[in-house]
Amino acid sequence: MEDVIKQIVDAEKEAEERIEKAKEEAKEIVLKAREEAKLIEKEVIEDAEKQARILIEKARLEGEDEAKKILEEGEREIDELKVKATNNLERAISAGIALVRGS
């Protein structure tokens, strides 16, 4: 009977040791998972920031291109208006001269 009790006590001790070992392993797994999660979070944030910088630069370049096109179009319109104004001025001068000459 004493052997049976000793075996039960030994089995309980072994079970407690296994439980403690399992708890320690679980703590280590949780800590490792948290560390890995932080690394993943950091990578995701860095990637998102990189993508944001790329999108901002792309938008900036597109904005510069659009502004350049608008300026070029404005300059063309100004040149056309200058030509029309010059032509109108020449016609006005010719008409004025004709009036002065009495034609």
Side-chain angles (χ1 to χ4, degrees):
M1 186 73 163
E2 227 176 271
D3 286 341
V4 172
I5 293 173
K6 185 178 183 214
Q7 288 176 347
I8 292 172
V9 170
D10 288 344
E12 286 177 350
K13 284 182 183 179
E14 186 177 334
E16 286 178 23
E17 289 173 1
R18 286 184 179 180
I19 290 170
E20 287 303 314
K21 184 177 179 184
K23 285 180 182 179
E24 289 299 317
E25 288 176 357
K27 285 181 185 178
E28 289 177 17
I29 290 170
V30 168
L31 288 175
K32 185 175 180 182
R34 284 182 181 157
E35 289 173 1
E36 289 177 2
K38 285 181 183 179
L39 289 175
I40 291 170
E41 179 184 26
K42 182 181 176 185
E43 289 174 3
V44 168
I45 289 170
E46 287 175 354
D47 187 51
E49 289 173 345
K50 179 181 176 183
Q51 293 298 323
R53 284 191 298 272
I54 289 170
L55 290 174
I56 289 168
E57 181 63 16
K58 182 179 177 184
R60 185 187 66 76
L61 292 174
E62 288 174 357
E64 286 179 359
D65 287 345
E66 189 63 27
K68 184 178 177 183
K69 289 176 186 176
I70 291 169
L71 286 173
E72 288 172 355
E73 181 62 29
E75 288 173 359
R76 276 194 295 275
E77 289 178 12
I78 289 170
D79 289 342
E80 289 173 9
L81 289 173
K82 284 180 182 177
V83 169
K84 288 179 183 178
T86 301
N87 289 339
N88 288 340
L89 179 63
E90 288 175 3
R91 284 192 311 206
I93 291 172
S94 294
I97 291 173
L99 282 173
V100 170
R101 288 186 180 165
S103 307

